[in-house]
Amino acid sequence: MTVTLRPFTSDDIRGVAALEAALFPDPWTAGMFAGELEATGRVWFVAEDDAGVLIGYGGAAILADGDAHIMNIAVSPARRGQGLGRRLLDALLGRLRELEAQRVTLEVRPDNVAAVRLYESAGLESVGVRPGYYGRGQDAAIMWGDLQEATPRPLADSAGELILAIESSCDETAAAVMRGGRELLADVVASQIDFHARFGGVVPEIASRKHTEAIVGVVDEAMERAGVALGLDGALAFRDLDAIAVTRAPGLIGALVVGVAYAKGLAMAIGKPLLGMNHLEGHIFANVFADPEVKPPLVALLVSGGHTSLVHMPEWGVYHTLGETLDDAAGEAYDKVAKVLGLSYPGGPIIAKLAEEGDPAAIDFPRAMMRSGDYAFSLSGLKTAVITYIRHEREAGREISAPDLAASFQQAVIDVQVAKAVRAVGETGAVSFCLGGGVAANRALREALTSAIEPLGVHVSVPPLHLCTDNAAMIAAAAHYRYLRGEHLALDAEPSAREPLDTL
Ligand code: KG4
Ligand code: ZN
């Protein structure tokens, strides 16, 4: 879709007013610029899409003595992060230069990181604060630029902001440095699995203790590796980061707070924005990062040790949870079946390996809720059926074929997930489908979903294996989009699995 930029004409008044009303629900604010549009000494540009819909505008006033003032640059929320703000700004600055303005000033909300960065990228700098400018005690940052001297730098977004992301929601302490949402400069994961294995599952107290021990070293290692990737003389310096992102929900509370407290302290120390991220959004963005063809409307199946849910993302950053497990998560079921068979933790990879040698049709385990007509899952009945089967066979003195049992259990899990995923894709009209979470590493599940969904003309994405289990790269990838939108999320750790993606 092409976007056209052109000077404002009086025919655009209605389009600007409509966009303002959408951007500023407060009628007082919405009408604020109306009188400015046709005043003399003003320079306005508008941006419109193929269909002639106005999707952005920007304006400046020529003042006395070679001074000019940028009044506003606004872009429709759906079109942000595409460089449109920068194009409008360039058009305005170009026109102001032609009109022989020497200097330009503007006010901006200091917490509007995306806007401040946009102006900085055009060579403007912050020179002070205007107290209470926006009312209710909200200050404005004053920015200034010399129009004849300022040589615009490349747009920060395309060069790429540097985000350090931290993930500590479960049993992996992870840190990653990402540039521009696409370039992974460092990706460090310290797994605690060995410490939990002897207990047959994650022990929350051990998890938080291990996060506390590991986090400083893991972040330092990520900054070192990012320094190498950038060809620096040493580690990347914290002050050169543009933002810190951290998983704040959902997960184990004692584990989350370690990452959140560390990230908060760091962000405060270096004066950079802090983005509080949702872990499940991270699992979806592992796909967005790894596969540029993934786009909304999409359906994601998130399957891990803690979650089994089908999520609909109709547009970037908007989520509707279609259904979740009513009891055990898929990974949990794998882990429990492994435990009953006397195998070690985590059971998922072991059961998956055993299943490769077994016959998936050997034992007819229940496919719970396969035809329930909704998107809810239930896995505890399957787990009980497996346990009952084992007990029954042992009592009868029969040898159990672990490969057949593993393959039959796995097939029961896969059949239900594929059936629900296919239905979700059809019902939502999704163009992409993606898989996420630790169980997404399961080859049989990946293949079954791909061969069921691809023929429907839907793009299927399964993340590379290192992005399936918990990591910080996926958190950084999700943070990129929130950063571009200038969002700062709530900052406290939130253990509830029920922080719905839907509310993001
Ligand atoms: O996403 P993740 O690393 O941590 C959570 O957020 O839970 O997922 C871990 C889960 C464990 O239950 C593990 O058994 C399972 O993912 N898992 C697998 C496989 N690899 C890991 N399950 C089935 N097949 C696999 N290949
Ligand atoms: Zn996870």
Side-chain angles (χ1 to χ4, degrees):
M1 193 182 256
T2 50
V3 173
T4 315
L5 242 64
R6 53 172 180 74
F8 168 87
T9 71
S10 54
D11 293 341
D12 294 319
I13 289 185
R14 200 180 302 181
V16 172
L19 188 53
E20 273 188 21
L23 292 170
F24 309 105
D26 179 349
W28 181 82
T29 318
M32 207 155 79
F33 305 109
E36 293 284 352
L37 289 172
E38 292 192 293
T40 48
R42 301 289 186 267
V43 176
W44 284 96
F45 279 88
V46 296
E48 63 184 15
D49 66 11
D50 292 345
V53 177
L54 208 133
I55 52 174
Y57 62 89
I62 310 275
L63 310 174
D65 302 328
D67 283 331
H69 186 252
I70 305 252
M71 294 191 294
N72 193 23
I73 290 182
V75 173
S76 147
R79 306 303 297 255
R80 288 181 191 160
Q82 299 168 1
L84 195 50
R86 176 60 187 266
R87 282 179 63 191
L88 283 163
L89 179 60
D90 283 348
L92 284 175
L93 296 180
R95 183 76 188 117
L96 292 175
R97 283 192 189 95
E98 281 169 18
L99 295 171
E100 297 183 345
Q102 303 293 312
R103 289 162 300 275
V104 63
T105 59
L106 58 89
E107 283 91 18
V108 60
R109 289 179 195 273
D111 61 357
N112 187 349
V113 183
V116 170
R117 230 190 133 75
L118 166 69
Y119 295 129
E120 282 176 354
S121 77
L124 276 68
E125 54 190 271
S126 298
V127 288
V129 170
R130 192 149 295 178
Y133 180 79
Y134 293 111
R136 298 187 198 101
Q138 292 188 59
D139 303 341
I142 305 170
M143 297 187 73
W144 183 93
D146 183 327
L147 275 174
Q148 305 303 320
E149 256 175 34
T151 36
R153 283 178 276 148
L155 179 61
D157 291 346
S158 60
E161 83 292 341
L162 288 167
I163 293 183
L164 166 67
I166 295 168
E167 153 67 42
S168 72
S169 66
C170 189
D171 60 345
E172 263 94 24
T173 319
V177 179
M178 180 84 83
R179 180 158 65 178
R182 285 258 163 247
E183 228 182 315
L184 187 55
L185 303 174
D187 182 19
V188 180
V189 180
S191 176
Q192 315 170 349
I193 283 185
D194 295 352
F195 298 100
H196 299 283
R198 70 187 108 145
F199 301 102
V202 178
V203 184
E205 287 75 10
I206 296 182
S208 29
R209 197 169 296 231
K210 291 290 161 196
H211 284 308
T212 311
E213 286 169 19
I215 195 157
V216 174
V218 166
V219 170
D220 285 351
E221 175 77 29
M223 298 300 281
E224 291 276 346
R225 290 193 198 172
V228 172
L230 290 167
L232 305 179
D233 235 0
L236 174 64
F238 287 125
R239 64 170 180 277
D240 292 329
L241 293 168
D242 293 295
I244 315 287
V246 63
T247 303
R248 67 175 280 273
L252 303 168
I253 179 69
L256 288 165
V257 291
V258 178
V260 170
Y262 179 95
K264 254 184 176 176
L266 179 58
M268 201 172 282
I270 62 175
K272 294 295 162 77
L274 179 60
L275 298 159
M277 305 301 300
N278 180 295
H279 182 81
L280 297 178
E281 187 178 35
H283 276 304
I284 296 177
F285 271 79
N287 291 278
V288 177
F289 168 65
D291 180 351
E293 282 184 49
V294 170
K295 55 176 185 289
L298 68 74
V299 164
L301 174 63
L302 303 176
V303 275
S304 72
H307 303 277
T308 299
S309 39
L310 266 169
V311 177
H312 177 215
M313 182 175 101
E315 54 187 276
W316 291 115
V318 176
Y319 302 98
H320 302 299
T321 301
L322 299 171
E324 295 177 285
T325 179
L326 303 175
D327 36 59
D328 292 353
E332 202 178 352
Y334 272 90
D335 295 339
K336 286 179 177 169
V337 167
K339 204 167 176 175
V340 183
L341 288 174
L343 306 168
S344 58
Y345 173 85
I350 306 173
I351 297 279
K353 186 129 199 24
L354 271 175
E356 282 174 21
E357 314 287 314
D359 173 8
I363 311 158
D364 188 20
F365 286 128
R367 268 79 173 147
M369 309 193 71
M370 187 140 120
R371 292 180 219 297
S372 60
D374 60 16
Y375 297 109
F377 298 87
S378 168
L379 286 131
S380 75
L382 172 60
K383 172 194 67 190
T384 310
V386 173
I387 295 170
T388 310
Y389 172 85
I390 294 172
R391 192 171 301 145
H392 198 261
E393 294 300 291
R394 281 184 183 151
E395 277 167 15
R398 281 193 288 267
E399 185 86 17
I400 294 166
S401 158
D404 281 352
L405 182 117
S408 302
F409 157 78
Q410 176 162 288
Q411 197 58 48
V413 174
I414 292 175
D415 283 353
V416 180
Q417 297 195 343
V418 169
K420 302 232 174 196
V422 164
R423 194 164 153 240
V425 163
E427 220 161 70
T428 57
V431 300
S432 305
F433 172 82
C434 56
L435 186 60
V439 184
N442 188 287
R443 209 171 65 204
L445 177 63
R446 295 157 77 94
E447 286 173 5
L449 285 165
T450 308
S451 55
I453 296 174
E454 250 174 20
L456 306 175
V458 172
H459 178 73
V460 175
S461 164
V462 289
L465 294 184
H466 70 279
L467 291 178
C468 288
T469 39
D470 290 348
N471 63 85
M474 67 185 196
I475 302 300
H480 167 69
Y481 289 87
R482 300 210 166 265
Y483 176 84
L484 288 186
R485 287 197 248 158
E487 287 183 30
H488 300 215
L489 300 190
L491 295 180
D492 282 312
E494 178 54 69
S496 167
R498 309 246 159 229
E499 168 176 280
L501 267 169
D502 313 38
T503 59
L504 289 189

